[in-house]
Amino acid sequence: MNTNTDKSTISVVVPVFNEEECLEEFIERTAGVLGGMEETSELILVDDGSNDASPAIIGRAAEKYGGYIVGIVFNRNYGQHRAILAGFAEARGDIVITLDADLQNPPEEIPRLAAKAREGYDVVGTVRVDRRDTCFRKLFSWIINRMTAQATGVRMRDYGCMLRAYSRPVVNAILQCPERSTFIPVLANTFANRTAEIEVSHSERTSGESKYGFTKLVNLQFDLLSSMTTFPLRLLSFIGAIISMMGIGFGTLLLVLRLILGPEWAVGGVFTLFAILFFFVGAQFIAMGLLGEYIGRIYLDVRARPRYFIRERVGRSSLPERTGKKI
Ligand code: UDP
Ligand code: MG
């Protein structure tokens, strides 16, 4: 440990979307954990356009813990990752920790995460041991983790767990990125030099429900893949090339068999041809869909609208303000 570590400051950034059932408990527990740590800290709660009592709870908490809790309220729902970005723009700490408000990631893990980050890691990820989510979610995550590791070249076992710590340089780098669709853990890894993963426990959601329905989940995965890398596009051409070669090979085979076995046989092959045709048409649709995803995102970035609008800001932090450009 070096001398700076004594002075290190921590920002905890939490996106909140309709979490009235658990938010109070979350704030109490997190404040308790942070209060027990040596470092000076701040808790930044970003309300992502909730239409329940969450903004009011944040407002009350900001009053109760003056100089310590900062609340940011969006004018509508922009999604978890944009909420975190707003929190990053506000954060003043040397280490920035993100976690969910639903208590699935226990706030009691924060000190361990901070300790690991202080060892000099740019990003500290977490792996959910004994993950408490539906089988469908787990399977989805498994596939995505594999693909992401391939695409980014940074092996991490659990990209989906949002309980993570980021160093100040990585947060600054993320804030410099103007793109609209982002998946923060992956974006962070593109700027990180040293990364580590620790195991944390995971609990079931005790109140409220997951804010990720099927469509939102699919959307998030597309954001993840398309915004960080062009790997899927390359994969697409690769698969396309293989399919075409198989097509040519198959065509030749059919021709040869037709010559050897005669025209009666070939009539029997009509349905095989249909099957092949469907296969190609399907492959093309997948390819076009994927291209559409990229083009859609390019369109959004070309329009370059602000990523979010803040309706209200409550509370203040007692951490020293950071100078330098923020976006
Ligand atoms: N969240 C958000 N905006 C959204 C969806 C979710 O800020 O549009 C927040 C939510 O309040 C929670 C975190 O992101 O703090 C993770 O959401 P959730 O627990 O619903 O996701 P899951 O655990 O099911 O992946
Ligand atoms: Mg959750």
Side-chain angles (χ1 to χ4, degrees), residues 14-19 46-50 77-81 83-84 99-105 128 131 133 137 160 162 202 205 209-212 216-217 220:
V14 184
V16 178
F17 181 47
N18 292 340
E19 302 284 7
V46 187
D47 181 83
D48 186 15
S50 303
N77 179 246
Y78 291 102
Q80 183 183 1
H81 291 260
I84 294 176
L99 80 159
D100 293 348
D102 57 2
L103 290 167
Q104 283 193 282
N105 315 128
R128 291 168 279 194
R131 180 174 170 189
D133 270 322
R137 287 287 301 266
M162 293 307 289
H202 191 241
R205 219 182 213 280
E209 53 186 25
S210 173
K211 306 296 178 288
Y212 283 99
K216 222 169 168 174
L217 207 57
L220 186 74

Side-chain angles (χ1 to χ4, degrees), residues 3-37:
T3 45
N4 298 341
T5 47
D6 304 325
K7 292 195 202 104
S8 75
T9 48
I10 294 180
S11 301
V12 176
V13 172
V14 184
V16 178
F17 181 47
N18 292 340
E19 302 284 7
E20 61 180 5
E21 290 102 333
C22 43
L23 193 56
E24 271 162 347
E25 186 192 340
F26 171 82
I27 294 172
E28 293 304 320
R29 271 172 64 182
T30 312
V33 171
L34 293 177
M37 291 172 70

Side-chain angles (χ1 to χ4, degrees), residues 70-91:
V70 180
I72 294 172
V73 182
F74 281 178
N75 64 339
R76 53 152 284 179
N77 179 246
Y78 291 102
Q80 183 183 1
H81 291 260
R82 292 193 193 188
I84 294 176
L85 282 175
F88 278 5
E90 189 68 33

Side-chain angles (χ1 to χ4, degrees), residues 47-303:
D47 181 83
D48 186 15
S50 303
N51 31 37
D52 66 356
S54 303
I57 296 173
I58 293 176
R60 278 203 299 276
E63 254 172 52
K64 184 174 166 193
Y65 297 94
Y68 170 63
I69 287 187
V70 180
I72 294 172
V73 182
F74 281 178
N75 64 339
R76 53 152 284 179
N77 179 246
Y78 291 102
Q80 183 183 1
H81 291 260
R82 292 193 193 188
I84 294 176
L85 282 175
F88 278 5
E90 189 68 33
R92 300 171 176 188
D94 304 321
I95 296 170
V96 180
I97 293 177
T98 57
L99 80 159
D100 293 348
D102 57 2
L103 290 167
Q104 283 193 282
N105 315 128
E108 288 73 25
E109 305 273 11
I110 293 175
R112 278 180 59 216
L113 207 61
K116 193 80 190 168
R118 259 185 278 116
E119 283 174 28
Y121 291 101
D122 292 320
V123 173
V124 183
T126 49
V127 184
R128 291 168 279 194
V129 207
D130 190 18
R131 180 174 170 189
R132 301 297 171 86
D133 270 322
T134 56
C135 291
F136 164 70
R137 287 287 301 266
K138 284 194 233 175
L139 177 71
F140 218 81
S141 294
W142 185 81
I143 299 171
I144 291 298
N145 280 329
R146 277 299 173 98
M147 285 169 75
T148 316
Q150 264 295 333
T152 58
V154 181
R155 302 226 168 266
M156 275 207 169
R157 273 152 56 199
D158 197 348
Y159 272 100
C161 187
M162 293 307 289
L163 175 58
R164 302 175 98 82
Y166 305 95
S167 67
R168 176 46 56 182
V170 166
V171 171
N172 286 346
I174 291 176
L175 287 172
Q176 304 277 322
C177 296
E179 65 257 42
R180 257 121 282 271
S181 353
T182 35
F183 193 87
I184 290 164
V186 180
L187 184 59
N189 275 1
T190 55
F191 301 120
N193 188 17
R194 291 182 70 206
T195 60
E197 270 187 316
I198 60 171
E199 295 195 338
V200 294
S201 59
H202 191 241
S203 8
E204 250 165 89
R205 219 182 213 280
T206 45
S207 49
E209 53 186 25
S210 173
K211 306 296 178 288
Y212 283 99
F214 183 72
T215 346
K216 222 169 168 174
L217 207 57
V218 171
N219 222 344
L220 186 74
Q221 313 308 333
F222 269 121
D223 272 355
L224 192 161
L225 279 179
S226 70
S227 61
M228 302 306 155
T229 167
T230 47
F231 172 77
L233 276 180
R234 250 179 272 152
L235 189 71
L236 203 68
S237 344
F238 183 67
I239 294 175
I242 291 186
I243 292 179
S244 316
M245 278 187 317
M246 272 165 43
I248 295 169
F250 212 70
T252 321
L253 185 73
L254 284 178
L255 186 71
V256 172
L257 289 177
R258 158 76 176 73
L259 292 176
I260 299 172
L261 300 171
E264 285 88 53
W265 178 85
V267 175
V270 165
F271 293 104
T272 327
L273 280 177
F274 264 111
I276 297 166
L277 187 70
F278 285 142
F279 179 59
F280 283 116
V281 172
Q284 271 176 350
F285 268 95
I286 295 172
M288 286 196 306
L290 199 57
L291 285 175
E293 288 290 336
Y294 278 91
I295 294 168
R297 278 163 176 74
I298 292 169
Y299 173 60
L300 288 180
D301 275 339
V302 166
R303 275 199 313 196

